[in-house]
Amino acid sequence: MEASSDPLADVRQGIIRALRTKPRSALGPNDGERRERGLLVVMGSATLLDMTSIYYESDADSGMLEGQRVAVVGYGNQGRSWALNLRDSGYAPLVCVRRDETREQAVADGFEAHDVGAANGADVICILVPDDVITLLPLAPRTDACVIVASGYTLGFGRLNPPGDSGMVAPRMLGPEVRRCYEEGVGFITAVGVHHDATGRALGRVLAIAKAIGGLRQGALALTPMQEAVLDLGVEQVLSPALTAVNNAFVQTMMEHDIPVEAIIVELVLSGEVERTYRLLREIGYAAQSEFHSPTSQYGQLSRRGRFDHLDFVATMRELADDIESGRFADEWDAERDAGYPTLERLKEQHAGPAIREYEAELRRRLGPGVASG
């Protein structure tokens, strides 16, 4: 397979359409000019007047954390990486964690583990547990403390309202990779933002933490917690279901043409070609990597582009995005948590249950890196 649609070009064209079709009634006082300038930016003009703020290590003052007690609440995927990175950056984080296997891991990593409530005395409290659990924690930060979360969800939707400073350092990276990227010295892109600045030091402390964990080495986008939450949930709830529907339709179409399902899965996933193509998109861009594909591939992709433009994805996507931004999903998720997650368990059984796991494991034993040599 030589599949390499240009997602950046598709995003660019989507922005152009959105800017051109946004109803006048929805425009703010400066949006008319902003729309025209946005078109120029997207179309390739040299002006970048509407680019969001980006922070780098040079923008952070590590002195903002001097004499500050930093607590890390939680020691899972994000918590462990943050604590280790903070320690390697010269800080002595107070690890506050439940009495479970994560506490054992913290001790094994050389930390003295404390109960969650011990974080209340810290100057900076990094809360690194799942969003739906945060509101259940016995935390009572001081009015001069700064609470930092790794996701904008709880702050953006009003589930967390600390009395002092509050902000967000949201790595665009899986938790374990936050540690690996720090160790490799490359860092990772982050979204940072201040939700409430009670002391005048909120942004300084947020940036200092972001720098300490490696989150400013590749740049950090300035986003509000609500913006980060809508984008993050949008990828999960708006884009992911659409991609699943497209993949399912493709699988069905190929099977109708007598292609074995195993071959389809290899083409889409197991070969690793799609994964590596997207890595090249990230590293060198669409135009450069397109030359790695045959003329047949290039012509086929480009000449068939637009064949799905008559399908109205946007209407459904807007409904789903509105569910997120309005807070309806947050209310639904709260109710699901309070009921003991019955719907989640049912859906996981349906879409990722034992039968599917067994099939995937067997396929990986027979194809790909899992195949025994000889």
Side-chain angles (χ1 to χ4, degrees), residues 240-254 264 268-269:
S240 179
L243 294 177
T244 299
V246 169
N247 275 330
N248 288 343
F250 178 77
V251 171
Q252 177 181 337
T253 303
M254 291 296 99
I264 302 170
L268 295 177
V269 182

Side-chain angles (χ1 to χ4, degrees), residues 20-99:
R20 283 178 173 159
T21 61
K22 187 177 181 182
R24 283 284 172 185
S25 60
L27 294 175
N30 299 317
D31 278 354
E33 177 186 358
R34 186 175 293 271
R35 174 164 68 175
E36 298 306 317
R37 287 189 295 162
L39 282 170
L40 291 174
V41 170
V42 174
M43 291 297 287
S45 169
T47 178
L48 293 174
L49 295 176
D50 289 316
M51 181 175 285
T52 189
S53 297
I54 300 177
Y55 296 104
Y56 302 97
E57 288 196 330
S58 59
D59 296 308
D61 178 8
S62 299
M64 294 296 297
L65 297 180
E66 186 175 349
Q68 299 268 290
R69 290 169 294 174
V70 178
V72 170
V73 177
Y75 206 74
N77 288 331
Q78 288 286 346
R80 181 171 186 263
S81 293
W82 281 47
L84 292 171
N85 293 2
L86 284 164
R87 184 170 67 184
D88 287 353
S89 291
Y91 301 99
L94 186 74
V95 175
C96 304
V97 65
R98 295 179 302 178
R99 295 177 180 272

